[in-house]
Each structure stands twice: as C-alpha cells, then as structure tokens.
Amino acid sequence: MPYRRLSMLIKPASSLCDMRCAYCFYADVSDLRQIKSYGIMTPDTAQALLRRAFEAAGERGEITFAFQGGEPTLAGLPFFKDFTAAARRLCPPSVSLHYAMQTNGLHLDEDWCALLREHRFLVGLSFDGTAALHDAQRPDASGAGTSRRVLQAARLLREQGIETNILCVVTEQAARHPQQIWNFCRRQGFDFLQFIPCLASLDEAAASPHALTPRRYAAFLKGLFPLWRQALTTPSPVSIRVFDNLLSLLSGRPPEQCGMLGRCSCQFVLEADGSVYPCDFYVLDDTRLGRVQESSLEALAASPAAQDFMQPRALPALCTDCPVWQLCFGGCRRTREMFFSQPDYCPWRDFLTETLPAWQELAHALRLR
C-alpha cells in the first residue's frame, strides 16, 4: 500500500472571532456566503471528519490536522481534548499524526499549553510586526489593542517549549517598515516568521485601504531580504517561509508552500458544519465540494467542483518572457490579483531579478553542504 500524506484545514469555530482585524480576509470571504458562520463544530461532525481522514490515509502514511478560524480556540479546550483523544483512538499504528493551529493567542494559558505540548502542535501565532502596527490593525472586539496579550502568549509558548511561528500580515502600511518589523521580531526572539500579503477584498465594490500594492510589496521584500541573508551567517539565523521556499526551488527541491508551483490543488478545508472546500481563500458557496458526513475525501476531490477549481488558469502576458518564471510559475491564483493589478509590472519579478545573483550564491552554498 502506498505511503500517503494528507492535510486537513479545520475551522472548528467557523468565522467566529473575538478580534476585529482591520483587514480580516476570512470576514471578507464569509460575508459573501449565504451563511456567514456555521458556529461551533459538533462532536458528530468531528467524528465524521476523523473517520474520513483515516479512511483516506489508509494503513500507512501521515495526517496533519490544522485548525484555523475565525479563532479556533473559541471552540473550547474540551473540544480539542475530545478531538485529539478520538484521533489517537482511531489512528492505525502505521499512520503518523501531526497537529497545527493558527491562533490570535488571546486565550492561551497553561491548560491550553499542556494540550499543545502533549500533542506537539505547531502553533502559528498572529502578530503584525511591531506593537504599534499590531495594535492599529488587530484590536479586540471592544477596540482595545492586543499586542501586550499576544506577546505574553508568545512568551508562554516559548517557556512551555511549544514550536511557534509568527504570522505577520503585510498591509500597505506595514510594508513601509521592513527594518522596524525585523528589529522588533529579533528583539522578541522570533526566529520563525511568515509574511502574508494583505489582499484586496473578493468583493470588487468593497474598499480595501489596507490592501498591499505591487510596488510596495516588492519594496518590502527588497528591504527584508538583506536582513534575512545577513542573519544566515550568524549563530541565530531566522526562517522566513517564503524565502526558505525560494531557496528550496533554487536548490532543486519542491517548495512546501501552496501556490509556489503556479497551480491549485485540493486542500480539504472543512467548515464547522462539515462542508468541504478546496482552498482557504475560496470558502464560498460556489466552491463548496460537499459535506464530509456524506462523501469520502476521494469523492470530494474528484467532484466537478474540485476539478473545475483545479483547472489551470491562463497566465498573465507578463509571465511569457519572465526570466524568473520558474521561481513562481505565475504564482497563486488569489495573489495574482494583487501581483498583476498594475500594468506591465510584477513585484515578484522586480524583486527576484534584482536579487537573483545573491539567491544563486545562497543556493550554491547550500548544495555544497
């Protein structure tokens, strides 16, 4: 039997959240559905998705259950205790289990950390670069800043030995400050960073004052790259996900980041009611594949809706003569809307053509190791 790898992105609290981020992409997505929130996932739905996951994995392989939102901790600690206990009970001996969670950190305490540590969760903690930027962009439901509480959660996770990545949304405002963001993250001891471009709303009529523009994104990458490159030679290098994936591509290895091969795949995103979607950017009524209570994952991936979603999209004209096309293959379907929003310009092409000699030098050194 072949070795199978399966990932499922689960929204146990649907679009529920106790923060009011100025740019929230999932609020934008869920606002376009007939039902904005499906509430908290029931035990029966959790059991159904577990059965489907282990059915799809077979007797050999590995499964990653990644929890996102909204804010997944709003499902409650008992939900996660029950979920991990059921997964352990149902898991075949030759299947490896992995867990991840993306959280705003506001509810993390020692009880949460005990569960996260026991099951070796990889935690993605959302923090927007500096305290000032974070408070301006990520207030709580009462409008108060949250940076102090999130930084406290980061310290607790570190003290408890829980692997943590910092997820920073790069807005048009944040992109003006790569040096300040880098310095703040270094002072906090954040060694694993993800920088996520803030994209315009899927609703073309909605204004997006925080959305990143192409030239600003290129300038941000150009400001960040030499800082990251210099840190590689120190005793405390920093992992930046997009840069790590670029280095993999240049070294002849496939990237792990979705979208960097220029094509869509079925990601198995599960809403709280058991509905399954192919991509976290498109948890919409017209991309719904079906429900995990009614169909196997194989059947959902083979459904007409999934096949339509995964159909290759025509590349922008600017890609046809791009010298660095094989470092993105046209990019992610969703981010293309930002990348090519200005005529005859691509931020990725701008950044990579300027820095390519340095990247090639890094890749050569990596191959020699």
Side-chain angles (χ1 to χ4, degrees):
M1 178 173 288
Y3 189 90
R4 296 179 181 175
R5 289 184 174 89
L6 172 67
S7 295
M8 302 180 77
L9 181 59
I10 303 164
K11 296 181 178 292
S14 193
S15 62
L16 302 176
C17 192
D18 49 358
M19 291 180 66
R20 298 295 181 268
C21 301
Y23 50 72
C24 180
F25 95 90
Y26 202 65
D28 168 51
V29 170
S30 58
D31 280 343
L32 298 175
R33 301 189 308 221
Q34 288 188 355
I35 299 175
K36 178 175 175 62
S37 176
Y38 293 97
I40 304 296
M41 182 175 285
T42 66
D44 286 346
T45 300
Q47 288 288 326
L49 79 85
L50 284 168
R51 287 195 300 272
R52 295 298 190 187
F54 290 118
E55 175 186 278
E59 296 179 4
R60 295 182 64 250
E62 55 187 285
I63 302 176
T64 298
F65 295 116
F67 297 91
Q68 199 174 18
E71 171 50 42
T73 59
L74 293 181
L77 186 56
F79 171 88
F80 284 88
K81 287 182 176 180
D82 290 345
F83 188 100
T84 51
R88 179 177 286 170
R89 185 174 65 252
L90 295 170
C91 185
S94 297
V95 172
S96 299
L97 279 180
H98 306 282
Y99 292 101
M101 176 189 290
Q102 182 175 341
T103 177
N104 61 32
L106 298 189
H107 296 279
L108 296 184
D109 57 18
E110 291 191 358
D111 289 338
W112 271 104
C113 285
L115 177 129
L116 299 174
R117 186 176 59 252
E118 177 185 357
H119 297 283
R120 297 182 180 179
F121 271 72
L122 169 63
V123 174
L125 184 64
S126 296
F127 181 79
D128 277 0
T130 71
L133 284 167
H134 184 95
D135 284 339
Q137 298 174 167
R138 297 180 60 84
D140 64 18
S142 68
T146 57
S147 65
R148 179 185 58 80
R149 285 175 281 174
V150 177
L151 292 173
Q152 182 178 347
R155 287 191 289 272
L156 179 62
L157 290 166
R158 184 184 302 116
E159 290 167 1
Q160 296 289 327
I162 296 165
E163 188 177 356
T164 306
N165 290 353
I166 299 299
L167 279 59
C168 175
V169 175
V170 185
T171 61
E172 184 75 356
Q173 295 80 8
R176 300 173 186 271
H177 307 289
Q179 181 78 59
Q180 291 92 320
I181 290 172
W182 174 265
N183 290 344
F184 190 94
C185 289
R186 291 294 272 170
R187 287 197 300 271
Q188 295 295 322
F190 297 157
D191 295 332
F192 295 88
L193 305 173
Q194 295 185 39
F195 292 102
I196 304 165
C198 182
L199 303 175
S201 172
L202 286 169
D203 181 357
E204 294 181 359
S208 301
H210 298 279
L212 195 54
T213 54
R215 292 186 186 277
R216 183 66 63 190
Y217 184 46
F220 176 77
L221 294 174
K222 290 177 184 180
L224 192 63
F225 173 67
L227 304 171
W228 171 80
R229 184 188 182 199
Q230 184 178 19
L232 290 179
T233 63
T234 71
S236 55
V238 174
S239 167
I240 294 180
R241 188 184 186 195
V242 66
F243 290 169
D244 292 346
N245 276 268
L246 272 172
L247 203 49
S248 288
L249 275 168
L250 281 158
S251 303
R253 302 191 305 273
E256 54 78 29
Q257 188 169 342
C258 178
M260 290 194 72
L261 288 176
R263 60 177 182 267
C264 293
S265 59
C266 190
Q267 299 294 309
F268 296 120
V269 181
L270 278 89
E271 257 290 2
D273 71 330
S275 294
V276 182
Y277 304 82
C279 173
D280 195 35
F281 282 130
Y282 296 96
V283 185
L284 300 164
D285 293 337
D286 62 358
T287 56
R288 182 177 177 273
L289 308 182
R291 298 182 72 216
V292 74
Q293 296 93 326
E294 300 158 1
S295 303
S296 69
L297 297 184
E298 289 89 342
L300 291 167
S303 67
Q307 296 305 306
D308 178 68
F309 183 84
M310 292 187 288
Q311 281 294 315
R313 265 57 183 181
L315 286 172
L318 199 60
C319 293
T320 57
D321 66 344
C322 180
V324 292
W325 178 76
Q326 289 185 319
L327 296 179
C328 80
F329 300 95
C332 164
R333 168 181 170 179
R334 181 70 172 94
T335 57
R336 282 183 193 177
E337 297 168 23
M338 180 270 283
F339 275 23
F340 302 104
S341 60
Q342 294 178 350
D344 301 320
Y345 181 78
C346 169
W348 206 237
R349 179 172 180 166
D350 182 3
F351 165 63
L352 285 174
T353 51
E354 182 172 311
T355 58
L356 189 58
W359 280 108
Q360 291 171 332
E361 181 182 325
L362 287 172
H364 179 70
L366 187 63
R367 285 193 293 269
L368 293 178
R369 290 181 185 176

